[in-house]
Amino acid sequence: MNPTSIGMIMEMALAFAGLFGGFAAFLLVGALGPFGRAAGRWGEGGGSVRDVRDAFERSRR
């Protein structure tokens, strides 16, 4: 999927959340969307649990 398609899907999810769930759902979907995208990219790249652990250790230093 290219970035344009991902952006379009994210916009549709925000629109449906705002329509059916109200403003709070709109904000929640908007805030959690980037985390889902990051997890998807990590999974596509063949990431492992060790990669996540190493990233947290680097941020503590």
Side-chain angles (χ1 to χ4, degrees):
M1 262 187 158
N2 60 16
T4 304
S5 297
I6 293 171
M8 184 180 65
I9 291 169
M10 187 64 191
E11 288 175 21
M12 289 187 333
L14 286 171
F16 280 117
L19 181 65
F20 296 114
F23 189 67
F26 174 80
L27 291 178
L28 183 65
V29 170
L32 295 179
F35 292 112
R37 183 166 188 255
R41 291 192 77 178
W42 175 72
E44 278 183 355
S48 67
V49 176
R50 178 173 283 179
D51 296 337
V52 175
R53 186 193 69 198
D54 292 343
F56 280 113
E57 286 180 2
R58 278 187 299 235
S59 68
R60 282 194 247 163
R61 293 182 190 172

